[in-house]
Amino acid sequence: MTDHVIPYGRQHITDEDIAAVAEALRSDYLTTGPRVDEFEEKFAAYIGAKYAVAVANGTAALHLCTLALGVGAGTRVITTPITFAASANCVRYCGGEVWFADIDPVTLTLDIEKVRELIASKPRGYFHGIVPVDFGGYPVDLEAYRALADEHDLWIIEDACHAPGGWFTDSKGTKQWCGNANYADLAIFSFHPVKHIASGEGGMITTNDRELYEKLLLLRTHGITRDRGNLRYPDHGGWYMEMQQLGYNYRIPDILCALGISQLSRAAEGMDKRQEIAERYDQAFKAISTEKIRVHGVPGEAIRHAFHLYVIEVADRRGLYDYLRDRGVFAQVHYVPVHTMPYYRDIGYEEADLHLSEAYYSRGLSLPMYPALTEQEQQFVVDSVKAFLNA
Ligand SMILES: *Cc1c(COP(=O)(O)O)cnc(C)c1O
């Protein structure tokens, strides 16, 4: 027995992280400062994208993406119901319409065939964008999505919150890192404490598109610029700043970027730990019949799963959840399907036919998965699951 709580995910803070934040606090900048640029540069290099824009959180990142892409009334965007609500909400912030398509029950990500069917069921030009999500850390095949998007003139925002460091292999045999924006127009990340890289609150947008990048910079800070070369009315004087668009304050403080940079330097290490933990779960559960437990590791040569989550499916999910909870193991369910939330029901999703998402929701449970999880703690989780399943 352990006498402490084991959550499904949590941050890992080291003395180096603390020293980095303390150093930022002693410096000249609390908010926009040199650590923001440094975090952006290092993150873009890690992921393999040309540009990165650090923002207040992952939700702000999504909102800035929909703004930069011009989402508005009449814009129709397709996403998955098995995601955090913000992947869909960002379309609503701009007055657009969300359309959900069902998931692939093996990868638990948006099923491209379902998206294709949905697009085909409407007149040409009906849809405008797709938001695929690397759910749990499973890297979506964005090359396939790009081909589909190009056929129908759609943009793609990859919600890569679960997958920094994950990759898939494209048809040329090249490893494509999640969020590198080689196939998506924009990609986003979150630095919430349960994610791979924690900064408290924080987010990042990556892109290879210079024009979108510049729009994002402007929108992040009220639509205001002081770039002398870009003013409409240039001759007011040195104090002059120009508000050219309706933007927001979605900046991230320098202090948080100090933590983000420090955490990023250990991201590869954290990823290795996640792979090891997943491997141990796989080993522990593989002898149990798939009637009792189904695992969602999906390892393989052609992808690197980023294992934000380790998801299992069991028949008595509620029973297992409660049993684990009584023993101090705080497993979690990802996610209550977004279209079943009262807000979405109230705006017309009551009748949506997304039965694979709903079936997964009735059985899915995310077991503890984070780099600081000890072998002993993991063994306790495994033993508890097996005890519940009589396996
Ligand atoms: C965490 C998360 C977000 C939102 O990020 P915040 O930083 O919490 O705003 C969006 N999408 C997915 C898939 C997430 O997991």
Side-chain angles (χ1 to χ4, degrees):
M1 276 296 285
T2 53
D3 53 5
H4 64 287
V5 162
I6 306 175
Y8 85 86
R10 63 161 293 156
Q11 73 276 18
H12 175 49
I13 300 292
T14 64
D15 289 345
E16 288 75 36
D17 291 338
I18 294 167
V21 173
E23 194 188 316
L25 285 168
R26 290 192 194 95
S27 76
D28 292 336
Y29 299 92
L30 290 186
T31 186
T32 308
R35 288 172 186 81
V36 179
D37 296 335
E38 186 185 344
F39 191 26
E40 290 174 343
E41 278 162 29
K42 289 185 168 162
F43 191 84
Y46 179 61
I47 296 298
K50 216 173 198 167
Y51 307 108
V53 180
V55 294
N57 53 66
T59 304
L62 283 162
H63 188 193
L64 289 182
C65 289
T66 49
L67 287 165
L69 291 164
V71 173
T75 307
R76 299 187 188 89
V77 179
I78 302 169
T79 192
T80 168
I82 300 299
T83 185
F84 183 61
S87 316
N89 295 351
C90 63
V91 175
R92 301 292 304 143
Y93 296 155
C94 298
E97 272 178 39
V98 181
W99 286 68
F100 295 102
D102 218 344
I103 57 166
D104 172 332
V106 175
T107 66
L108 307 177
T109 61
L110 185 62
D111 184 342
I112 192 167
E113 294 313 322
K114 296 282 164 47
V115 175
R116 204 185 300 280
E117 284 165 25
L118 179 58
I119 293 171
S121 73
K122 299 289 178 188
R124 219 190 141 70
Y126 194 80
F127 293 103
H128 304 88
I130 313 177
V131 184
V133 180
D134 302 306
F135 173 76
Y138 187 92
V140 168
D141 180 351
L142 284 164
E143 186 183 28
Y145 270 101
R146 182 79 263 166
L148 178 63
D150 285 349
E151 246 175 77
H152 298 277
D153 203 17
L154 312 176
W155 48 253
I156 299 172
I157 301 171
E158 179 190 6
D159 183 337
C161 283
H162 295 184
W167 43 254
F168 73 96
T169 310
D170 71 9
S171 60
K172 297 188 189 72
T174 307
K175 284 177 188 169
Q176 297 290 344
W177 282 51
C178 296
N180 70 6
N182 281 345
Y183 293 108
D185 297 271
L186 295 161
I188 70 105
F189 296 89
S190 162
F191 307 121
H192 180 279
V194 296
K195 310 290 164 75
H196 288 59
I197 297 160
S199 69
E201 296 283 354
M204 193 76 80
I205 307 164
T206 47
T207 186
N208 297 322
D209 183 317
R210 173 104 213 160
E211 211 175 305
L212 285 172
Y213 171 64
E214 283 172 1
K215 276 190 196 170
L216 294 167
L217 292 179
L218 201 59
L219 289 165
R220 173 175 64 177
T221 179
H222 307 284
I224 290 177
T225 183
R226 49 193 324 162
D227 174 0
R228 289 281 163 271
N230 274 325
L231 301 178
R232 188 186 299 178
Y233 303 109
D235 52 4
H236 284 231
W239 63 85
Y240 185 63
M241 293 183 281
E242 194 168 83
M243 184 190 142
Q244 300 180 331
Q245 284 189 39
L246 187 61
Y248 294 78
N249 176 358
Y250 279 167
R251 296 185 301 260
I252 183 171
D254 221 47
I255 308 167
L256 299 188
C257 288
L259 180 53
I261 293 163
S262 182
Q263 291 255 312
L264 178 58
S265 71
R266 293 198 313 279
E269 213 179 288
M271 183 64 122
D272 291 344
K273 286 291 274 191
R274 287 174 188 273
Q275 309 288 334
E276 281 169 30
I277 292 166
E279 179 65 21
R280 283 202 294 268
Y281 277 134
D282 285 349
Q283 289 302 324
F285 297 140
K286 77 174 183 199
I288 308 174
S289 101
T290 50
E291 302 282 295
K292 286 192 170 172
I293 186 170
R294 185 162 158 209
V295 304
H296 276 285
V298 207
E301 291 294 309
I303 63 160
R304 179 159 74 182
H305 193 306
F307 287 113
H308 166 58
L309 303 174
Y310 188 89
V311 175
I312 60 170
E313 285 184 58
V314 293
D316 184 8
R317 191 270 313 279
R318 178 154 197 166
L320 178 57
Y321 173 88
D322 290 339
Y323 180 81
L324 292 176
R325 186 112 185 156
D326 284 346
R327 307 184 104 205
V329 177
F330 286 24
Q332 183 57 290
V333 175
H334 298 92
Y335 291 93
V336 180
V338 179
H339 67 284
T340 67
M341 291 289 181
Y343 168 77
Y344 282 97
R345 284 184 194 269
D346 290 350
I347 61 171
Y349 295 88
E350 198 81 63
E351 305 297 324
D353 175 23
L354 299 158
H355 62 274
L356 293 172
S357 296
E358 290 174 24
Y360 157 68
Y361 169 62
S362 71
R363 300 167 51 91
L365 192 65
S366 309
L367 297 181
M369 165 56 86
Y370 49 93
L373 183 71
T374 66
E375 278 191 55
Q376 200 186 357
E377 287 169 327
Q378 189 180 2
Q379 194 58 51
F380 180 71
V381 175
V382 165
D383 292 344
S384 303
V385 171
K386 284 183 166 174
F388 179 79
L389 296 174
N390 296 315

